[in-house]
Amino acid sequence: MNEFNQSPFSEAFTFDTRLGIYVLRSDLHWGQFSEADKKRIASKWVLICSALTDRVTDLEVMMMDALERMYTAKDEEEMHLLNNEMMDYASIACDLNILARKVYDDLAKAHF
């Protein structure tokens, strides 16, 4: 069974399909959790954020693949689509980097 389907994780995290990761819910009310659950949630959040560099690396590989395909694009439309694909990957990678920097602010709000 997926650990995110179990409490307290099911209440604390949601899967962000764009980013491709579980994220801490923006409407999370820390007061509803026991101290032990708060620590488990915070630990899981730190683990998720520590793995963000792996996700960014995967996105960089996909960007480079799209760039390589641009070299053999048959026409301007295909080139445009590949460029948009690269920009989408870059946008997600940027958001993941911002999220990684923000994690400690979120944990500070947890009031341990």
Side-chain angles (χ1 to χ4, degrees):
M1 175 178 236
N2 184 334
E3 70 182 295
F4 286 101
N5 294 332
Q6 303 169 1
S7 256
F9 298 128
S10 63
E11 297 173 30
F13 295 94
T14 186
F15 190 77
D16 186 306
T17 54
R18 180 177 169 274
L19 298 179
I21 62 166
Y22 280 91
V23 295
L24 201 58
R25 296 177 62 99
S26 61
D27 61 348
L28 183 64
H29 299 287
W30 285 97
Q32 71 182 344
F33 299 105
S34 69
E35 290 303 313
D37 283 345
K38 287 179 187 178
K39 288 179 182 177
R40 280 193 283 278
I41 292 166
S43 294
K44 188 64 177 171
W45 187 225
V46 168
L47 286 173
I48 290 169
C49 288
S50 69
L52 291 181
T53 54
D54 293 337
R55 176 76 175 119
V56 170
T57 299
D58 292 343
L59 289 163
E60 289 170 346
V61 168
M62 294 185 318
M63 282 187 273
M64 295 307 295
D65 178 60
L67 178 63
E68 288 296 320
R69 288 183 283 140
M70 284 177 74
Y71 292 128
T72 59
K74 295 173 187 67
D75 54 35
E76 187 176 325
E77 182 179 344
E78 184 180 359
M79 180 83 90
H80 179 72
L81 291 172
L82 289 166
N83 186 60
N84 284 344
E85 182 180 329
M86 282 179 34
M87 296 307 286
D88 288 342
Y89 295 143
S91 175
I92 295 167
C94 181
D95 288 348
L96 289 169
N97 282 318
I98 291 168
L99 179 62
R101 290 183 182 143
K102 184 178 172 280
V103 68
Y104 294 106
D105 290 339
D106 290 340
L107 291 176
K109 293 176 189 174
H111 304 292
F112 294 108

